[in-house]
Amino acid sequence: MSALHPPAHTLAQALTQLPLIAILRGLTPSEAPAIGQGLVESGFAIIEVPLNSPEPLLSIATLARLLPRTLIGAGTVLNAQQVKDVHAAGGRLVVAPNFNPAVVAQALALNMVVLPGVATPTEAFAALDAGAHGLKLFPAEMISPATVKALRAVLPKDTALMPVGGITPDNMAAYRTAGASGFGLGSALYAPGRSAEQTRAAAQNFVKAFRG
């Protein structure tokens, strides 16, 4: 990324387009082009391939090459070396299930967008102090809309809060009313074996529900 587009600006642009992160856990490199194209054509601007997928770095490299205007990166990033690997593959996004200061620091050093996972106010403020560009609220199954409202009341107003885990087109509205900025979408959007056509249909359902 050029100096004209620092990570915070890159993330803000993508969230403005559509604040939904496609989480493609289990994606294979051969599926990546069709799945990625369908998501982008449905309006998605952010795609992550969790590192516990088959050959995730190859999928990330493929998506980054085919979709240069899309914010592509990895999920389930647990250490600094993995951040370097994602960067080398062409990824510009690091998402983690937890807050590891070393992961945030490495992502910042490489000019990447970083969204660590947090579940408490203590973790949230520590992650922001470390330089996180936004917060993945995980697992959302244990973080109610009431909790999101309470967090929103104390966190900086422009903090991106993204519940992840068990999010469906039907439960987004309550979180949004409580102050969620957007969402990470997992198995309700994509699961191993789901075709590009099925994934596109699910993506369109999510976009319709979000904008509805």
Side-chain angles (χ1 to χ4, degrees), residues 57-131:
L57 297 174
L58 185 52
S59 292
I60 290 166
T62 299
L63 289 168
R65 187 171 61 251
L66 290 176
L67 306 168
R69 295 185 178 182
T70 304
L71 181 55
I72 307 284
T76 319
V77 179
L78 303 178
N79 59 60
Q81 183 57 53
Q82 290 177 334
V83 177
K84 295 177 184 177
D85 294 342
V86 173
H87 182 264
R92 297 186 292 153
L93 169 70
V94 168
V95 184
N98 61 322
F99 165 53
N100 179 341
V103 167
V104 174
Q106 187 63 65
L108 294 176
L110 293 173
N111 214 26
M112 301 171 78
V113 174
V114 59
L115 302 172
V118 304
T120 68
T122 298
E123 292 173 338
F125 279 105
L128 292 175
D129 286 345

Side-chain angles (χ1 to χ4, degrees), residues 19-20 140 143-146 148-149 161 163 166-183 185 205-212:
L20 300 178
I143 301 172
S144 67
V148 173
K149 184 177 181 180
L161 295 179
I167 300 300
T168 69
D170 297 326
N171 64 13
M172 289 192 296
Y175 282 103
R176 287 191 75 191
T177 299
S181 309
F183 302 92
L185 311 176
N205 284 339
F206 268 110
V207 173
K208 183 178 179 182
F210 186 84
R211 292 181 170 156

